[in-house]
Amino acid sequence: MKNPYEVLGLKEGASEEEIKKAYRELVKKYHPDQYRDNPLAELAESKLREINEAYEFLMKNNKSSNSGKKEGKSSGWNNRTDNNSMFQQIRVHINNGDLSVAEQALNSMLDRPAQWYYLKGLIYMKRGWYDQAYSHIQVAVQMDPYNFEYRDTLRRMSNAGNSYRMNAYGRGYDQGPDLCQICQCLWCTDCCCECAGGDLISCC
């Protein structure tokens, strides 16, 4: 991760109010609504993710950053970079099907940002535990609502669930004939029987 102060256009040791002000201005500048049908939309979205990550880090670590100011540059974002490298390794494990290794690595992490929940959701999805997968990826979207990857995965899961329910309904799962259909079937059968000289329903 880049120096979060530089991402927000601030000097190191900026106050909480300065951080919030810079963050609000940048969010307005790179908000997706500003880039609809714009070829720069993906670039703006990537920039916004970077801004969100920098803001989240500074709001959590601003006090420690200020206390370490005399000692020089804080190593906090270097730790975040280490986490990002670990996330990349976990993705490789997931893609290779090493789900137990990936999950152990995730569970060992103390810092649990949006990407943690997203990757945990992917593990659940690979195992076929769709409720848990959906729940974790939903948390990831709530924590980082501008992340296209998280939103797109959640959308695909929602669409897949809706498609399954519609197809199941169309094939007649949990769906029997209603009373009108039963009556109509009996009436037609009785008419056929009478034409043939019989009588299915004597009262008709």
Side-chain angles (χ1 to χ4, degrees), residues 54-101:
Y55 175 74
E56 180 185 346
F57 175 83
L58 287 179
M59 293 307 293
K60 286 182 179 178
N61 300 280
N62 192 37
K63 289 183 180 180
S64 61
S65 295
N66 286 335
S67 64
K69 189 176 177 183
K70 294 179 180 179
E71 301 173 5
K73 184 178 290 186
S74 171
S75 61
W77 53 83
N78 292 328
N79 293 334
R80 180 63 63 88
T81 301
D82 292 340
N83 281 347
N84 286 339
S85 297
M86 192 168 185
F87 283 137
Q88 291 299 324
Q89 293 174 7
I90 291 169
R91 283 177 181 265
V92 171
H93 288 309
I94 293 173
N95 291 335
N96 291 337
D98 302 327
L99 302 184
S100 296
V101 176

Side-chain angles (χ1 to χ4, degrees), residues 68-162:
K69 189 176 177 183
K70 294 179 180 179
E71 301 173 5
K73 184 178 290 186
S74 171
S75 61
W77 53 83
N78 292 328
N79 293 334
R80 180 63 63 88
T81 301
D82 292 340
N83 281 347
N84 286 339
S85 297
M86 192 168 185
F87 283 137
Q88 291 299 324
Q89 293 174 7
I90 291 169
R91 283 177 181 265
V92 171
H93 288 309
I94 293 173
N95 291 335
N96 291 337
D98 302 327
L99 302 184
S100 296
V101 176
E103 188 167 32
Q104 286 175 5
L106 281 175
N107 291 340
S108 70
M109 299 179 71
L110 297 178
D111 187 22
R112 298 187 174 183
Q115 187 170 188
W116 187 94
Y117 286 93
Y118 177 73
L119 295 178
K120 189 81 166 181
L122 290 186
I123 291 172
Y124 284 138
M125 191 188 305
K126 292 272 190 179
R127 286 178 170 160
W129 302 348
Y130 297 111
D131 287 343
Q132 295 94 322
Y134 188 88
S135 175
H136 276 72
I137 293 173
Q138 193 173 42
V139 171
V141 171
Q142 290 170 353
M143 293 178 69
D144 188 359
Y146 301 112
N147 187 298
F148 175 79
E149 182 184 22
Y150 305 165
R151 291 202 326 263
D152 188 58
T153 301
L154 189 66
R155 178 185 61 80
R156 289 173 183 271
M157 291 185 71
S158 297
N159 290 344
N162 292 336

Side-chain angles (χ1 to χ4, degrees), residues 156-175:
R156 289 173 183 271
M157 291 185 71
S158 297
N159 290 344
N162 292 336
S163 175
Y164 172 79
R165 285 191 292 271
M166 289 177 66
N167 290 337
Y169 182 83
R171 289 195 294 267
Y173 298 155
D174 298 326
Q175 179 189 15

